[in-house]
Amino acid sequence: MGIRNWIRFFTHTLLIGGAATGILGFIIRWNEFAPLFANGEWGEVLSVLTWLIGVGFTFSVISQMGFFAYLTIHQFGLGLFKSYWGFIQTALIAVVLFDLVYFRFQAFSSGETIGSYILLAAILLLVGIVTAYQKARGRNRNVFVAALFFMVVVTTLEWLPVLQANEESWLYLMLFTLLPCNAFQLLMLPKYNQKTLKAA
């Protein structure tokens, strides 16, 4: 990818992260921010929005670091494990999803049911499947598995700091920012590469 298209790719992903967190931050943490709207404190609303967008930019950068790290790991895995790489990725997806539900429930449960833990893993898996299906249309099964691995395993690794803190609003806020950023990068990278080839 040429430097100009890389900058565009980076900027578009950054804007997606900022917009997602800026909008979802008010929705997810509405109980906290509702009094600002009720009292007409628009200066404070703008201040909070600016802060949320900045947080979204940070999440976006984490997403992009994870994506480019994944591209390296994927090539390494293909070279080292060859035909077994798909099976290894599938096994890691299963382990990560199990960990997201069972071990988090064991670590953080304080009387609530396991349902909320299953819900988060199910959201991650569902978005991953839809994105991987879009990525793999007209291609082979290995593309689907690789895309699903990125959307589930790499997203979880990027999400890890908030998972360890286990604060509900931040769990959803970071997840719903990482998912569109990661999906955009996965689906749009070939188009940016094509633009570079056409310009060459």
Side-chain angles (χ1 to χ4, degrees), residues 13 16-17 20-21 24 63 127 131 151 173-186:
T13 310
I16 289 170
T21 305
L24 292 172
S63 166
V127 174
T131 305
M151 291 300 297
L173 186 58
M174 189 172 189
L175 177 62
F176 291 145
T177 302
L178 289 175
L179 286 175
C181 286
N182 284 345
F184 173 81
Q185 292 178 96
L186 190 64

Side-chain angles (χ1 to χ4, degrees), residues 124 150-159 175 178-179 182:
L124 179 63
F150 171 69
M151 291 300 297
V152 173
V153 176
V154 178
T155 298
T156 301
L157 290 174
E158 296 165 351
W159 194 24
L175 177 62
L178 289 175
L179 286 175
N182 284 345

Side-chain angles (χ1 to χ4, degrees), residues 43-65:
E44 286 296 318
V45 169
L46 183 59
S47 176
V48 170
L49 177 61
T50 303
W51 176 74
L52 287 170
I53 290 172
V55 171
F57 287 164
T58 303
F59 291 164
S60 170
V61 171
I62 293 170
S63 166
Q64 294 186 63
M65 290 170 60

Side-chain angles (χ1 to χ4, degrees), residues 20-197:
T21 305
I23 295 169
L24 292 172
F26 283 109
I27 296 171
I28 293 172
R29 303 176 67 182
W30 179 248
N31 290 339
E32 182 179 343
F33 298 132
L36 299 179
F37 289 91
N39 298 329
E41 299 177 36
W42 303 115
E44 286 296 318
V45 169
L46 183 59
S47 176
V48 170
L49 177 61
T50 303
W51 176 74
L52 287 170
I53 290 172
V55 171
F57 287 164
T58 303
F59 291 164
S60 170
V61 171
I62 293 170
S63 166
Q64 294 186 63
M65 290 170 60
F67 181 62
F68 286 103
Y70 163 74
L71 293 177
T72 303
I73 292 168
H74 183 61
Q75 290 305 314
F76 176 79
L78 284 172
L80 183 63
F81 300 109
K82 302 187 185 305
S83 61
Y84 295 103
W85 182 229
F87 172 77
I88 292 169
Q89 289 180 102
T90 303
L92 288 172
I93 290 167
V95 168
V96 166
L97 289 171
F98 178 78
D99 188 22
L100 269 177
V101 176
Y102 182 76
F103 288 113
R104 284 191 63 246
F105 179 73
Q106 292 295 319
F108 298 114
S109 174
S110 56
E112 73 267 37
T113 65
I114 201 170
S116 62
Y117 296 87
I118 294 174
L119 176 63
L120 276 175
I123 291 170
L124 179 63
L125 179 61
L126 180 60
V127 174
I129 289 172
V130 171
T131 305
Y133 174 78
Q134 291 295 320
K135 179 70 175 178
R137 282 194 303 180
R139 302 177 186 175
N140 60 36
R141 174 181 171 274
N142 291 333
V143 175
F144 177 87
V145 172
L148 185 60
F149 176 85
F150 171 69
M151 291 300 297
V152 173
V153 176
V154 178
T155 298
T156 301
L157 290 174
E158 296 165 351
W159 194 24
L160 201 55
V162 174
L163 283 172
Q164 291 175 330
N166 199 47
E167 205 286 313
E168 185 177 12
S169 64
W170 284 105
L171 279 174
Y172 286 98
L173 186 58
M174 189 172 189
L175 177 62
F176 291 145
T177 302
L178 289 175
L179 286 175
C181 286
N182 284 345
F184 173 81
Q185 292 178 96
L186 190 64
L187 296 176
M188 296 302 293
L189 181 63
K191 294 184 179 180
Y192 283 85
N193 285 334
Q194 287 174 7
K195 289 179 182 179
T196 299
L197 292 174

